Amino acid sequence: EAGVTQFPSHSVIEKGQTVTLRCDPISGHDNLYWYRRVMGKEIKFLLHFVKESKQDESGMPNNRFLAERTGGTYSTLKVQPAELEDSGVYFCASSQGLGGAGKTQYFGPGTRLLVL
Amino acid sequence: KNQVEQSPQSLIILEGKNCTLQCNYTVSPFSNLRWYKQDTGRGPVSLTIMTFSENTKSNGRYTATLDADTKQSSLHITASQLSDSASYICVAAFGGYNKLIFGAGTRLAVHP
């Protein structure tokens, strides 16, 4: 069974540009999460989808970030316009079942974003 | 404030030796405590998940303990191998949807 995949693995863009990150969860997983680790800091929650609905987006930094999960399958995270402080590693994770309580979250390899 | 603190920040041990990593957490309402292993350049991989009623859980050479009263957890690695070199992240989950709060991790290096 394929794990969580993310694309691209790396992205280098200039300040003010737009970048779109993609996450394909494990097939059949209703829960999809986005996380971010900025340099030297711990991983932090961004948002949680249950199927196609946003369950919790309290971790989204500001309105330059837009996440979508059309059809409840893959998800995209768009940053527009990108700022220097957006640099970091963006992780996606998925888990089975509704609610996510107590369920193992399987992480993708991450997308390393560098904003110059 | 919900937070997770880990110690030590880094650790070097010789192959074959044991080690114990520490975690203190403050989250409310507490749901469960997780340990993840993260190899360089990869995403975190789950090792254990423990609810407040569980005080120990093993996964091969990894044994996690949980004291819900003192809000402390530890991860014990037995007979370390070179492949154990990684970051070990303590994660506390809270709320009905298990929102995760991550520690900064302990970076473990196992030397031959």
Side-chain angles (χ1 to χ4, degrees):
Chain A
E1 178 184 279
V4 176
T5 58
Q6 293 186 244
F7 182 84
S9 59
H10 297 76
S11 180
V12 181
I13 62 173
E14 293 187 350
K15 176 182 172 181
Q17 289 186 322
T18 297
V19 63
T20 300
L21 314 181
R22 173 170 170 144
C23 169
D24 286 79
I26 293 172
S27 178
H29 281 194
D30 291 324
N31 297 287
L32 187 149
Y33 307 82
W34 283 99
Y35 297 93
R36 177 174 73 170
R37 167 180 266 162
V38 296
M39 181 76 75
K41 299 283 190 179
E42 66 275 16
I43 296 171
K44 287 193 174 178
F45 168 85
L46 295 178
L47 89 159
H48 170 203
F49 283 101
V50 177
K51 296 187 177 180
E52 68 276 6
S53 299
K54 292 177 185 175
Q55 174 61 39
D56 182 351
E57 54 182 328
S58 61
M60 295 287 264
N62 50 60
N63 59 10
R64 295 185 294 102
F65 289 75
L66 175 64
E68 295 180 323
R69 191 183 182 195
T70 306
T73 54
Y74 71 91
S75 174
T76 58
L77 179 64
K78 179 190 289 188
V79 184
Q80 179 182 30
E83 298 289 344
L84 300 179
E85 63 265 26
D86 300 333
S87 297
V89 183
Y90 290 77
F91 292 103
C92 175
S94 71
S95 69
Q96 279 184 314
L98 298 178
K103 301 293 196 317
T104 297
Q105 291 188 22
Y106 297 88
F107 282 75
T111 292
R112 283 143 189 82
L113 175 64
L114 178 61
V115 183
L116 301 175
Chain B
K1 178 183 177 183
N2 293 318
Q3 62 182 25
V4 175
E5 296 181 341
Q6 294 187 243
S7 62
Q9 190 173 30
S10 62
L11 182 62
I12 300 174
I13 62 173
L14 293 178
E15 186 179 12
K17 298 296 186 182
N18 304 335
C19 67
T20 300
L21 314 180
Q22 302 292 342
C23 172
N24 296 315
Y25 64 92
T26 304
V27 298
S28 180
F30 174 75
S31 178
N32 54 78
L33 192 290
R34 307 171 184 219
W35 282 92
Y36 279 85
K37 176 186 179 186
Q38 185 176 19
D39 293 308
T40 301
R42 295 178 176 265
V45 174
S46 180
L47 294 176
T48 61
I49 298 177
M50 290 181 291
T51 63
F52 70 91
S53 61
E54 298 174 290
N55 54 27
T56 186
K57 182 165 280 190
S58 293
N59 178 356
R61 294 180 296 101
Y62 301 103
T63 299
T65 65
L66 174 65
D67 186 333
D69 291 330
T70 62
K71 296 182 172 57
Q72 295 180 324
S73 177
S74 66
L75 181 69
H76 186 76
I77 304 175
T78 304
S80 61
Q81 300 177 358
L82 298 179
S83 59
D84 293 332
S85 296
S87 285
Y88 291 84
I89 306 173
C90 177
V91 184
F94 72 99
Y97 280 90
N98 275 208
K99 194 167 182 176
L100 301 187
I101 303 295
F102 290 74
T106 292
R107 186 177 298 276
L108 174 67
V110 180
H111 289 182

